[in-house]
Amino acid sequence: MTQHLGRARTATSTAGPGPQQDRTGWWRNAVIYQVYPRSFADGNGDGMGDLAGVRSRLPHLAGLGVDAVWLSPFYASPQADGGYDVTDYRAVDGRFGDLSDAAALIEDAHGLGLRVIVDIVPNHSSDQHEWFQRALAEGPGTPARERYHFRPGKGEHGELPPNDWESVFGGPAWTRTKNPDGTPGEWYLHLFAPEQPDFDWQHPAVHDEFRTVLRFWLDMGVDGFRVDVAHGLIKAPGLPDTGSSGQLRLLGNQELPFFDQDGVHAVYRDWRRVFEEYPGERIGVAEAWAPNSQRTALYVREDELHQAFNFHYLQTGWDADALRAVVTESLDAMRPAAAPATWVLSNHDVVRHRTRLGGGLPRARAAALLMLALPGSAYLYQGEELGLPEVTDLPDEARQDPSFFRETGQDGLRDGCRVPLPWTSGGSSYGFGEGGSWLPQPEGWGELSVSAQTGDPDSTLELYRRALRLRRENDDLGAGESVEWLPAPDGVLAFRRGGFVCTVNTGDEPVELPARPGQLLLASGTFDDGSLLLPPDTTVWWTTGPAA
Ligand code: GLC
């Protein structure tokens, strides 16, 4: 059993990791590591990752020093959208294993002091879900259709979609059905792929079903849920037109009739009551795209979910002023809700930050140390601890992201951050598994592997390990809800948190710090401790001794 260094954990319940390691508010400053099961580790050699693979690699996560693992969906699914198209929310897809693998994974994780968060996908099911298949078979006007959004089309023969909503993956958000007798029928709503029909959350059966699903996984011992498309469940009454095209560019910055409607909050108040039926602190994390931080904060009010992803932070470029503004705004927005801010640089939907921030590995490392110094909870995406870049040259025939196949959808390029991880310098798929890899790994991938980086003090992996250990040992990192900005030259961010100071040079030139902030704790790149010259794309952590 791995001993976590630093902060003592006091027993509060029987849920989650062993009682010795439990502590109140564990999630408030937790570092949570996202596993995309298809691409993490392949236990059965079929080229696709699975739960046995994840289980075998849990010691890597415990040794890295994270608090929890979030698993992207592994439920029964035709995989039209990497598992975000679920046919059975209580079953493990055969590609990933079975329920006993899930139980063993949860048990092993807890034994290693890691909590487990699973994804839940309440906005839509798979089109192969029994409810949707029944809705198609039973036809217009039947109760089976009421659990989804079926509508007659517009136009003389119903040949036009019922409104102007666009799918996040491109094209109209509506697909026309065929009636059981083969004639053209009603349309159904899908904010994502046509294989992902949206549930109608006005229907009580949908509420009942998801309460049952939550309890199913809570009974299995999970410590929380990452709520997929948490902002999408409720649509504006009457499904009004948006009146504009190119709605994708409005996501996350403007009000839309299908996202961030006030009605969604009643769902999370209900779910919070379900979480509280269980011992320990079982949490909900919203994937909520809202127009601003204030709207995002509504999802984490005291009686709703516990955290919401900070996509405004993820979308901020490598610029000191912009970063200072988004950090301040995020902390200010969360304070009234008494919820922790969260920070994230990469996930399975965006270009990896080593590539996205435009400054290669030095900038990625500097960004990571900045994020890990902020108060609140940080989300890591598998492989960022290895400094993996986005794979930008995948051949078209290898791609699986549904938005790649629908013109104008998202960026259509989400496969490049989903390439299976390298665990060893050589061997079949660099230790991912014995049977190749569902997406081709680029040349040189093995040099970035866990085994190649382990023990190399200059490696990104060892940087993350040291950073996470320091974060555990030092309560001024992570805990709390504010930062004290220090005067700093242009392009430099400097802040204090108790006896800790973080300095970041986002510029292209070295910058002389006005004074030595304290004793050097950790630097993201080469830094001459004898000088005050902060190199470009470098973050340095300092300790000033016990807080005043
Ligand atoms: C979320 C997921 C994304 C998925 C979409 C539809 O945004 O993160 O991967 O495609 O929901 O479920």
Side-chain angles (χ1 to χ4, degrees):
M1 164 132 163
T2 300
Q3 287 298 313
H4 281 133
L5 299 169
R7 292 171 209 161
R9 299 176 171 213
T10 49
T12 55
S13 82
T14 54
Q20 297 310 321
Q21 293 175 327
D22 211 344
R23 82 191 144 91
T24 306
W26 67 268
W27 43 278
R28 289 193 166 270
N29 58 356
V31 177
I32 301 175
Y33 182 103
Q34 180 187 358
V35 165
Y36 192 66
R38 293 164 70 99
S39 307
F40 189 68
D42 177 14
N44 67 359
D46 66 354
M48 187 170 283
D50 48 39
L51 296 184
V54 179
R55 197 178 157 206
S56 73
R57 296 293 185 182
L58 286 174
H60 168 68
L61 303 182
L64 184 60
V66 300
D67 298 286
V69 185
W70 146 34
L71 296 155
S72 278
F74 49 79
Y75 313 114
S77 160
Q79 304 288 312
D81 181 21
Y84 284 95
D85 49 315
V86 180
T87 49
D88 184 346
Y89 291 85
R90 298 175 193 78
V92 173
D93 194 277
R95 296 172 187 84
F96 297 125
D98 58 24
L99 279 175
S100 69
D101 293 311
L105 168 57
I106 295 166
E107 190 183 338
D108 282 9
H110 286 170
L112 288 165
L114 296 165
R115 287 187 162 78
V116 179
I117 292 172
V118 293
D119 229 294
I120 187 160
V121 190
N123 181 67
H124 45 262
S125 68
S126 160
D127 63 342
Q128 301 305 310
H129 191 285
E130 184 200 333
W131 282 9
F132 192 73
Q133 286 298 312
R134 210 183 313 153
L136 289 181
E138 294 187 13
T142 60
R145 292 219 162 173
E146 291 169 8
R147 295 184 289 209
Y148 295 90
H149 296 276
F150 283 89
R151 294 286 183 282
K154 286 188 173 159
E156 208 180 327
H157 307 288
E159 70 281 12
L160 299 172
N163 71 18
D164 69 356
W165 296 2
E166 292 167 359
S167 152
V168 173
F169 292 159
W174 296 90
T175 290
R176 195 166 193 186
T177 61
K178 281 203 170 91
N179 289 320
D181 67 4
T183 55
E186 291 183 323
W187 298 68
Y188 68 89
L189 176 68
H190 52 87
L191 293 180
F192 294 87
E195 295 88 349
Q196 295 168 295
D198 282 48
F199 284 116
D200 186 345
W201 273 84
Q202 303 299 344
H203 198 298
V206 177
H207 289 256
D208 290 346
E209 168 66 2
F210 276 92
R211 260 185 238 114
T212 313
V213 171
L214 291 175
R215 290 196 180 101
F216 179 86
W217 289 102
L218 289 164
D219 288 337
M220 291 276 291
V222 303
D223 301 285
F225 300 89
R226 176 264 189 190
V227 185
D228 189 63
V229 194
H231 51 296
L233 275 45
I234 301 293
K235 280 72 179 172
L239 312 185
D241 282 340
T242 66
S244 66
S245 63
Q247 292 151 26
L248 262 180
R249 81 195 137 66
L250 307 177
L251 294 186
N253 56 50
Q254 196 169 308
E255 207 181 305
L256 287 164
F258 45 83
F259 278 162
D260 193 36
Q261 296 293 303
D262 289 336
V264 295
H265 297 288
V267 176
Y268 304 125
R269 283 194 283 275
D270 184 42
W271 287 16
R272 180 64 176 251
R273 288 191 287 271
V274 174
F275 300 157
E276 311 240 311
E277 291 167 9
Y278 287 78
E281 290 171 86
R282 316 290 180 106
I283 69 163
V285 183
E287 185 214 19
W289 288 88
N292 53 51
S293 305
Q294 289 72 27
R295 292 286 305 179
T296 308
L298 299 179
Y299 291 77
V300 293
R301 284 175 289 191
E302 221 179 350
D303 55 350
E304 297 194 31
L305 301 174
H306 297 71
Q307 296 183 343
F309 290 123
N310 189 344
F311 293 121
H312 300 285
Y313 183 72
L314 184 149
Q315 289 173 317
T316 304
W318 186 241
D319 172 87
D321 291 339
L323 287 164
R324 196 182 295 110
V326 73
V327 168
T328 303
E329 191 195 313
S330 308
L331 292 169
D332 288 350
M334 293 299 145
R335 211 167 283 121
T342 66
W343 315 101
V344 58
L345 290 168
S346 285
N347 64 34
H348 66 295
D349 290 330
V350 299
V351 172
R352 283 186 177 275
H353 69 268
R354 168 168 170 180
T355 305
R356 192 186 71 241
L357 294 176
L361 194 53
R363 191 171 291 175
R365 292 166 57 115
L369 284 203
L370 165 60
M371 172 172 81
L372 292 172
L374 294 169
S377 185
Y379 279 81
L380 307 182
Y381 175 53
Q382 65 177 38
E384 75 170 78
E385 79 279 23
L386 306 177
L388 296 187
E390 182 79 3
V391 178
T392 51
D393 57 357
L394 285 170
D396 286 358
E397 60 277 12
R399 292 182 180 281
Q400 297 207 8
D401 179 358
S403 58
F404 178 75
F405 303 99
R406 287 170 69 84
E407 277 166 55
T408 74
Q410 236 166 24
D411 51 16
L413 294 174
R414 297 182 302 169
D415 289 315
C417 62
R418 299 175 178 179
V419 173
L421 293 194
W423 293 92
T424 53
S425 307
S428 164
S429 59
Y430 305 109
F432 169 65
E434 296 295 318
S437 143
W438 67 279
L439 280 173
Q441 297 160 302
E443 292 228 350
W445 213 226
E447 289 155 33
L448 294 166
S449 65
V450 173
S451 65
Q453 295 196 39
T454 293
D456 171 358
D458 295 330
S459 72
T460 302
L461 177 56
E462 294 296 353
L463 178 74
Y464 269 76
R465 286 177 175 157
R466 282 200 299 275
L468 291 170
R469 195 178 61 233
L470 286 168
R471 196 180 143 107
R472 281 182 173 276
E473 288 169 354
N474 188 334
D475 262 332
D476 292 325
L477 283 133
E481 53 189 40
S482 58
V483 300
E484 178 194 343
W485 296 109
L486 302 175
D490 273 0
V492 172
L493 283 172
F495 59 87
R496 183 195 306 282
R497 315 206 44 239
F500 169 83
V501 170
C502 178
T503 53
V504 188
N505 183 1
T506 65
D508 297 330
E509 300 294 330
V511 176
E512 176 107 15
L513 294 174
R516 191 179 173 78
Q519 303 269 319
L520 176 71
L521 262 184
L522 186 62
S524 67
T526 313
F527 175 68
D528 174 4
D529 195 19
S531 89
L532 289 178
L533 213 53
L534 193 57
D537 289 334
T538 302
T539 297
V540 178
W541 287 3
W542 310 84
T543 176
T544 62

